[in-house]
Amino acid sequence: LAEASSGARQPEFLSTHPHPETRIRAIDRRLDNEYADVETRRGVEFYEARFQTRFLPMLGCAPYDEHADVMGAVADLLGDPTMWCGVCAARAAAAGG
């Protein structure tokens, strides 16, 4: 990020976005303060075993379609992919559909 934005920059207060260094310092500060105890906080759990036993088997039962790699189970919620996927719409148009 720093390499991509190297060179002369305008003062940060004139910019629409913070400089990368400022953004990184702000994230580090929040991690050190607000989120420092997340792993030891009572009531916060990762539920890895529950994820593996309850969610992953459902993914294995989901019907496969060509969008599964991109959208997974969400594709079922979005409906006809030609309505929201430009690639699918172009393929359907080229196929006369």
Side-chain angles (χ1 to χ4, degrees):
L1 187 59
E3 183 180 318
S5 60
S6 63
R9 294 188 280 195
Q10 63 184 354
E12 189 171 23
F13 70 90
L14 292 175
S15 179
T16 59
H17 293 81
H19 289 164
E21 301 83 16
T22 304
R23 192 176 299 204
I24 291 168
R25 280 194 307 271
I27 291 170
D28 286 340
R29 196 170 33 252
R30 289 188 79 181
L31 288 172
D32 290 341
N33 296 317
E34 295 175 48
Y35 299 101
D37 67 337
V38 167
E39 290 186 2
T40 58
R41 191 180 302 163
R42 290 182 70 185
V44 175
E45 296 182 39
F46 292 105
Y47 299 108
E48 184 176 350
R50 185 186 301 178
F51 174 78
Q52 291 178 356
T53 59
R54 293 186 186 176
F55 184 72
L56 290 181
M58 289 190 301
L59 285 180
C61 296
Y64 178 78
D65 66 17
E66 64 184 276
H67 296 82
D69 295 332
V70 178
M71 297 300 293
V74 177
D76 291 336
L77 298 173
L78 296 175
D80 180 8
T82 61
M83 300 302 290
W84 51 266
C85 174
V87 173
C88 294
R91 286 180 184 162

